[in-house]
Amino acid sequence: MFDNLEIRLSAMDPVFAVIEITGLVFLLLLVSETAWDVFSGYRKSLRETGANIFISIVNTILERLAFGAVFVVAIFAAETLAVASIPLSWWSWLLAVLAADLTYYWMHRCEHRVRLLWTYHSVHHSSPEFNFSTALRLAWIEALFTWIFFVPMVVAGFDPAQVIATLAIVIAYQSWIHTEKVGKLGFLETVLNTPSNHRVHHGRNPVYLDKNYGGILIIWDKMFGTYEAETEKVQFGITEPVRSSNPFIINFRETALLAKDVLGPGPLNSRFARIFMPPGWRKETGTKKPGKPQGQPPTHSRSK
């Protein structure tokens, strides 16, 4: 299973090479956008941008040292459970990208609807700004969880290396959609996840909460009833702002809040349920905290 792991991953080098080139282009766009915002006065402070870059650097180090290995090993280990073997071909690549994108949709949706997963995913949503650097704001522990959702692709017969490569494609695509500089793109809005569609996803406006989970395609949201078009000015961030640009607070604030709720007073079953129920859930009031009128956003926004 692991004997030819390096060889099989090396076969994906052309895909990763294109992603690396895309990454370089994205970095140029990021620098250009940041410079424009600073000189135009649109971005009053670089604290959020600096936090995003610092978080990204730590993420890169962790993935290269350990967390990336956990993801790769887990995906390849799942091959022992495969019920079929899908050959590497042009049609399987198309199918794999579609499968990875659909899997990403459901993973993303779970990250908003299960509070344990929201503790790390909230990192990506916590910035009150929305620009290219926001795409870099990913939780340090995310790789320890995401592999779980992609095991079914391997069990279905997709090559583990292909699964890793297609997930990288889905994630790389989303780099360019973190911006306010691009308006609506006509017909593409109905098919693809665009900057406009993704702005909605990052909004804390009540109408935008829990909408537009798609990675590359927005059609999944339309199929499963989670689509919302951008119709009003987006207020970015989460409903209870972090109010800090400290990368450590950004990464672990929600985890601390969950621990406080679970270890605090109240019936054990209710406190334990908070781990798996949506953010803001309380047994006593359904999905809202006491004192929150129906129709108001929950305490923790569930708005990558």
Side-chain angles (χ1 to χ4, degrees), residues 16 52 281 295:
F16 292 122
N52 295 342
W281 178 88

Side-chain angles (χ1 to χ4, degrees), residues 181-202:
K181 302 296 187 296
V182 179
K184 293 195 175 186
L185 300 177
F187 171 75
L188 294 179
E189 300 290 336
T190 64
V191 180
L192 297 175
N193 193 10
T194 62
S196 176
N197 285 329
H198 204 56
R199 285 193 291 270
V200 166
H201 179 67
H202 274 260

Side-chain angles (χ1 to χ4, degrees), residues 11-118:
M12 304 295 145
D13 281 349
V15 177
F16 292 122
V18 172
I19 291 175
E20 287 181 4
I21 294 172
T22 302
L24 290 174
V25 173
F26 170 71
L27 287 177
L28 289 174
L29 290 174
L30 189 156
V31 171
S32 300
E33 181 193 46
T34 302
W36 174 266
D37 284 354
V38 170
F39 288 119
S40 66
Y42 184 80
R43 212 176 298 191
K44 305 299 183 183
S45 169
L46 289 178
R47 286 179 299 180
E48 289 294 319
T49 303
N52 295 342
I53 293 173
F54 182 86
I55 289 171
S56 178
I57 291 172
V58 173
N59 237 331
T60 300
I61 294 172
L62 290 174
E63 287 188 3
R64 291 185 182 278
L65 291 180
F67 291 175
V70 169
F71 188 98
V72 171
V73 170
I75 290 295
F76 272 87
E79 194 172 26
T80 59
L81 304 174
V83 297
S85 180
I86 300 175
L88 291 174
S89 63
W90 68 267
W91 61 265
S92 73
W93 273 103
L94 290 176
L95 188 60
V97 170
L98 280 174
D101 200 45
L102 177 59
T103 301
Y104 180 89
Y105 168 87
W106 283 108
M107 176 188 75
H108 199 178
R109 188 165 176 171
C110 288
E111 287 173 336
H112 283 253
R113 302 301 296 163
V114 177
R115 191 172 173 193
L116 176 64
L117 305 183
W118 175 246

Side-chain angles (χ1 to χ4, degrees), residues 200-215:
V200 166
H201 179 67
H202 274 260
R204 59 187 176 90
N205 314 45
V207 69
Y208 292 155
L209 294 179
D210 297 332
K211 301 296 183 182
N212 298 4
Y213 297 116

